[in-house]
Amino acid sequence: MAIMAPARGSLTLGVLAASQVVLLLDVTLVNVALPSIQRELHTSAAELSWVVNAYTLVFSGLLLLGGRAGDILGHRRVFTAGAALFTVASLLGGLAFNAELLLVARAAMGAGAALTGPGSLALIATGFPDGRARNRAYAVITSAGSVGMMLGMVVGGALIEWGTWRWTFFINVPIGAAVVVLSRSCLHESPRLRGRFDVAGALTATAGVTLLVYGVVRAAESGWEDELVVASLAVAAVLLALFVAVEARAPQPIMSLGLLRDRRRAGACVMRLLLTAAMSGMIFFLTLYVQQVLGFGPLETGLAFLPTTLTVIAANRAVPWLLQRAGPKPVMVGGSVLAVIGMVWLTQISATSTYVSMILGPVLLFGAGHGLVSVAATAMAMADLPAGEHGGASGLIQTMQVGGPLGIAVLVAVYEQVGGTRVQALAGAFTGALVLSLLMLGTALTVFGTRRRPCT
């Protein structure tokens, strides 16, 4: 394995971080732009929802394939191809003159992101030395994604207020182009795994994950009793079970089942799933609260969540040091405790609550908890990997982002079941997010051993 010099490592980290910023920036940018898109392109509510869902479905469904493609073809090559596809698709989205073209662009952006995302983690695992240097690189990448997501709400609000929704797509183009150009000179190619694609595994994994995400996304809109929801989840379960059977017999599986035999790696995946579910649900319902109850506009809403970025970055920067001295379990438990405290606070929300009294504290606490858990879980998932499995592990940990739509769908169901006033229903949804956070804490306490084993 070639380990790069410090100066080159900084350039590599800069390129990988920029890719994460643009991928996560796009998620919240587009959400802010939806009302403007609907007005200009005259889209129906169903078409508008697919502007978000087309990206989510394709991205989630192709992550495992994208990770394995990097193992076989080279992670730099696949990363660069994904960044190029994402950039061209963003340009197409900005130029779209009807809903159909915009949906095609969003699906292509999801495919590009699925190729780029796993490559970022895999290139760190194969290019940075074990220990604190590698964990620091994971922390930088995680911080970049958090900054992109939170800045997207602010930048999106500003672009909509002072310009046009099309700039929420065009803004990706110069950043993506720079990543494509610099990746060829700043990134080392990873060792390539000799072999061929596991076609059966790729088909069952892609179809299974896509139907799973479709089912939970539709459940948030139509309820869990909807026939299409039930059918898609049932078929997804069958396909994912078939995927496990195929992978157990495949000579070169798209995802080695041995990755999940490591208790720490399996626990890290569960932690990321629960963390993403709780975080996505919290942001979704707090956005409703600040806009519908407090009367915030799009730009004010983005600024309201900006403090979260500060605690995420601060916690991210502390994780490499903490992992070396305390080991992963205290970091995971500490981050989960902070998230639980933040959620307990939010369950006390009322019609007379203010931003300072009820929102600022919880988002700071949850942001710190998110920063600790996300970096530690990523480092644990990518630790001690056999040669040729970095892409598979990267695709696996990033697939846990399906927790986002799953968390929103579950908490929307809770919100609707609680009834009462809008604020009472919101308090019920936050109670549901608290349960997810408690499950995360329980996982941290029970799955990970007490031995002070650093993530390397």
Side-chain angles (χ1 to χ4, degrees):
M1 181 187 299
I3 303 298
M4 61 194 71
R8 179 125 185 180
S10 297
L11 289 172
T12 296
L13 203 51
V15 172
L16 297 178
S19 72
Q20 292 302 299
V21 168
V22 75
L23 293 184
L24 274 299
L25 183 75
D26 177 75
V27 174
T28 44
L29 273 176
V30 171
N31 285 336
V32 174
L34 292 178
S36 300
I37 292 173
Q38 186 173 35
R39 284 194 299 270
E40 182 172 332
L41 297 185
H42 307 292
T43 62
S44 66
E47 288 173 327
L48 193 67
S49 69
W50 277 103
V51 173
V52 175
N53 295 341
Y55 180 92
T56 303
L57 288 176
V58 176
F59 176 54
S60 302
L62 293 180
L63 273 170
L64 288 175
L65 180 59
R68 196 56 169 174
D71 286 333
I72 295 175
L73 301 175
H75 287 293
R76 185 186 71 173
R77 178 180 298 178
V78 174
F79 172 90
T80 304
L85 176 58
F86 184 89
T87 303
V88 172
S90 295
L91 179 61
L92 179 65
L95 296 173
F97 52 84
N98 58 36
E100 291 75 17
L101 186 57
L102 183 58
L103 294 181
V104 169
R106 289 291 289 165
M109 290 171 70
L115 296 177
T116 303
S120 300
L121 297 181
L123 287 165
I124 288 173
T126 58
F128 286 79
D130 289 349
R132 191 172 180 182
R134 185 177 297 173
N135 291 335
R136 176 181 171 273
Y138 287 138
V140 170
I141 290 295
T142 304
S143 296
S146 300
V147 168
M149 182 171 289
M150 295 304 170
L151 280 182
M153 300 180 76
V154 179
V155 174
L159 290 174
I160 298 304
E161 193 160 319
W162 300 324
T164 169
W165 65 267
R166 296 182 183 277
W167 281 103
T168 62
F169 289 89
F170 290 148
I171 196 172
N172 297 330
V173 176
I175 304 174
V179 168
V180 171
V181 172
L182 292 174
S183 66
R184 299 187 63 83
S185 58
C186 295
L187 302 183
H188 279 298
E189 183 58 277
S190 63
R192 294 170 60 179
L193 179 67
R194 291 182 178 274
R196 59 182 183 177
F197 284 110
D198 169 21
V199 177
L203 291 174
T204 52
T206 300
V209 174
T210 300
L211 283 172
L212 173 65
V213 175
Y214 173 77
V216 298
V217 167
R218 185 175 175 86
E221 302 169 354
S222 306
W224 291 94
E225 299 82 9
D226 179 79
E227 291 182 359
L228 276 177
V229 171
V230 174
S232 62
L233 293 180
V235 176
V238 172
L239 287 171
L240 292 175
L242 182 60
F243 168 69
V244 172
V246 168
E247 298 307 273
R249 294 171 175 79
Q252 290 184 310
I254 191 172
M255 188 198 79
S256 172
L257 298 181
L259 292 174
L260 293 176
R261 295 194 186 104
D262 185 320
R263 184 173 175 174
R264 296 193 316 155
R265 184 171 293 113
C269 289
V270 172
M271 293 285 287
R272 279 293 296 266
L273 181 74
L274 293 169
L275 177 69
T276 306
M279 182 75 166
S280 298
M282 182 192 76
I283 292 177
F284 179 83
F285 284 103
L286 276 181
T287 300
L288 293 181
Y289 179 78
V290 298
Q291 291 187 342
Q292 295 178 355
V293 178
L294 299 184
F296 285 21
L299 183 56
E300 290 175 296
T301 300
L303 292 171
F305 289 104
L306 199 55
T308 310
T309 307
L310 302 178
T311 54
V312 169
I313 293 174
N316 286 166
R317 290 178 63 85
V319 171
W321 184 86
L322 291 171
L323 286 176
Q324 290 297 113
R325 284 156 181 78
K329 183 169 185 175
V331 178
M332 303 285 261
V333 171
S336 300
V337 168
L338 291 174
V340 167
I341 295 172
M343 285 302 181
V344 169
W345 193 337
L346 280 175
T347 60
Q348 307 307 306
I349 200 165
S350 70
T352 59
S353 299
T354 65
Y355 173 78
V356 173
S357 69
M358 186 50 63
I359 298 175
L360 182 59
V363 298
L364 290 175
L365 285 168
F366 202 95
H370 182 281
L372 293 174
V373 172
S374 59
V375 178
T378 300
M380 293 173 73
M382 299 298 293
D384 304 325
L385 288 167
E389 294 293 346
H390 295 93
S394 178
L396 174 64
I397 190 67
Q398 293 202 0
T399 300
M400 295 304 105
Q401 293 178 87
V402 300
L406 179 60
I408 291 173
V410 170
L411 296 182
V412 165
V414 173
Y415 176 87
E416 292 175 345
Q417 287 296 317
V418 169
T421 67
R422 177 182 294 164
V423 175
Q424 288 172 330
L426 286 170
F430 291 132
T431 301
L434 171 60
V435 172
L436 294 174
S437 300
L438 287 169
L439 289 173
M440 185 170 65
L441 176 59
T443 302
L445 288 169
T446 58
V447 172
F448 306 110
T450 57
R451 188 165 45 139
R452 287 180 58 181
R453 177 184 172 191
C455 299
T456 58

